[in-house]
Amino acid sequence: MSGATHHAGARPSLTGAVGLRAARPADVPRIAELVQAYVLDRRLLAKDLVTLYEDVQEFVVAEVLVPGDGGPDGSTGTVRVVGCGALHVMWADLAEVRTVAVDTSLRGGGVGRALVGELLDRARRLGVSRVFCLTFEKGFFGSFGFEEIEAAPVPPEVYEELLRSHDEGVAEFLDLARVKPNTLGNARMLLQL
């Protein structure tokens, strides 16, 4: 997820505030589109559609009303998904904020901040006491209180259990050799809730 960098081009005009809600299967194609914009510059890993559908219940989406031209049905605009993020529970007291992506035309406008805030609230409601992220955006996540760490913050017996996971994000969390090319340059960060 990027901080205050903006891409060339005009920012779409928005009506009202950003709304957040749980993602639905119908949102998956748009989530894939949002993620793909960050895959190209290696800020996010590519996600297969099947993986996004399997994990849709972990996602929150941000949506806004984009003004329309007052079409024949009297509509004044359309609701558009402009961001996404997921909270993946990894262990009894540990979750990961992952796959945070915002429409590139809206970066720096608070959408990512709203998404991460909601994901951290979800973690609190679940009773998770620590949240991990793997990111290039140290300043952004640092503003929430995340701090850089060196190694996986779990005891050896939990590490051994996590090795059984087939989830690529867990492999990244464990810093396994097979995922190191995917994580080069990323900071490992942890937040105590």
Side-chain angles (χ1 to χ4, degrees), residues 98-113:
R98 57 168 60 167
T99 321
V100 177
V102 173
D103 187 304
T104 56
S105 68
L106 298 175
R107 286 168 50 177
V111 175
R113 182 160 293 287

Side-chain angles (χ1 to χ4, degrees), residues 12-151:
S13 175
L14 304 177
T15 301
V18 172
L20 301 174
R21 64 170 173 78
R24 300 184 285 253
D27 297 318
V28 168
R30 178 63 177 148
I31 291 170
E33 210 176 281
L34 290 166
V35 169
Q36 187 59 34
Y38 293 89
V39 169
L40 299 174
D41 65 1
R42 296 183 41 95
R43 293 194 171 273
L44 288 178
L45 293 178
K47 300 264 184 182
D48 292 326
L49 275 177
V50 67
T51 301
L52 292 172
Y53 279 112
E54 289 172 345
D55 297 341
V56 72
Q57 71 281 356
E58 296 181 351
F59 277 86
V60 171
V61 294
E63 52 187 16
V64 295
L65 179 64
V66 179
D69 57 5
D73 62 355
S75 65
T76 58
T78 57
V79 175
R80 179 149 174 88
V81 171
V82 295
C84 65
L87 182 73
H88 180 79
V89 175
M90 299 173 79
W91 201 250
D93 65 338
L94 182 67
E96 179 185 9
V97 168
R98 57 168 60 167
T99 321
V100 177
V102 173
D103 187 304
T104 56
S105 68
L106 298 175
R107 286 168 50 177
V111 175
R113 182 160 293 287
L115 283 163
V116 172
E118 175 60 24
L119 295 171
L120 294 177
D121 286 346
R122 271 187 169 195
R124 287 181 188 95
R125 288 191 302 268
L126 288 170
V128 173
S129 60
R130 301 178 305 150
V131 179
F132 170 81
C133 71
L134 186 64
T135 184
F136 288 104
E137 304 299 333
K138 295 191 298 188
F140 174 78
F141 282 98
S143 73
F144 288 94
F146 282 84
E147 296 179 356
E148 256 187 280
I149 59 171
E150 291 299 317

